[in-house]
Amino acid sequence: PMKLAFAAAALAFAPVVLSAFSLDAIRAHRTAQQQELIAEYREFVALPNVTRDQENIRRNAEFIVAMMRKRGIAAELLEGDSPAVNPAVFGEVKVPGATQTVVFYAHYDGQPVNPRQWAEGLEPFTPVFLTAPIERGGKIVDWRPGQPIDPTWRLSGRGAADDKAGVFTILNAYDALV
């Protein structure tokens, strides 16, 4: 058994592989939860996460705490010594008899964004599905919650791949394994 610790802050991502598990069971979990997962991820991606925007960074941190708690992870914000320091998010799963600790780490902040540099029809913090990358002829999908999701689509929005993907993937991998 291992004790798990989760931290989300503003630096890097280090993946860790856990012991054997059933890929079929994990796929079944993802399929059953797909609509709920997409709704939660779209809500997360819609939160502006520019590092210097402390109000929205705090909203992101609180959203991550809520995602952790929803998955049964004890979570809290770790505050810096100065109001200018953004909070880190810490979560922990204590396992009786654990002899090792596994730590997952991901950042949730992002760089400033210039909306004029986004492709026509896309807004940085308005997540949409695309059929392919815009530069390869991808089109915006007119998708509504509850409709089927084509597994070849990609979710576009500021931080959808770098920044928030690490946090979301770690939490949902944990949830699927549990």
Side-chain angles (χ1 to χ4, degrees):
M2 296 181 195
K3 179 171 118 176
L4 303 178
F6 299 84
L11 292 174
F13 167 61
V16 177
V17 178
L18 295 175
S19 61
F21 51 86
S22 165
L23 286 176
D24 290 336
I26 289 173
R27 282 189 191 105
H29 171 80
R30 181 201 44 87
T31 301
Q33 303 298 318
Q34 186 171 3
Q35 291 290 330
E36 182 182 336
L37 291 170
I38 289 298
E40 183 179 47
Y41 195 50
R42 287 170 48 102
E43 188 177 352
F44 188 32
V45 171
L47 294 172
N49 65 329
V50 176
T51 302
R52 296 194 190 275
D53 179 356
Q54 289 187 304
E55 180 180 335
N56 278 316
I57 284 293
R58 182 161 296 277
R59 288 178 57 213
N60 277 267
E62 290 168 352
F63 192 88
I64 295 167
V65 166
M67 286 193 297
M68 288 178 156
R69 289 179 178 161
K70 175 181 168 186
R71 289 157 177 84
I73 300 167
E76 64 181 301
L77 292 181
L78 302 178
E79 302 291 349
D81 293 337
S82 158
V85 175
N86 290 325
V89 180
F90 178 77
E92 186 173 41
V93 176
K94 293 185 178 185
V95 178
T99 59
Q100 298 178 8
T101 298
V102 177
V103 177
F104 296 90
Y105 182 86
H107 68 105
Y108 65 92
D109 66 330
Q111 297 298 315
V113 62
N114 181 346
R116 288 177 272 134
Q117 293 177 332
W118 280 71
E120 185 177 335
L122 298 179
E123 296 292 327
F125 297 106
T126 303
V128 295
F129 280 114
L130 299 174
T131 58
I134 292 290
E135 61 274 10
R136 288 194 228 148
K139 305 290 182 211
I140 296 173
V141 176
D142 183 20
W143 179 84
R144 300 287 179 256
Q147 293 178 332
I149 300 168
D150 184 327
T152 65
W153 295 345
R154 59 187 55 235
L155 187 69
S156 175
R158 186 73 168 109
D162 181 25
D163 301 322
K164 295 181 177 183
V167 173
F168 200 72
T169 300
I170 290 167
L171 292 177
N172 285 294
Y174 168 76
D175 201 26
L177 289 169
V178 168

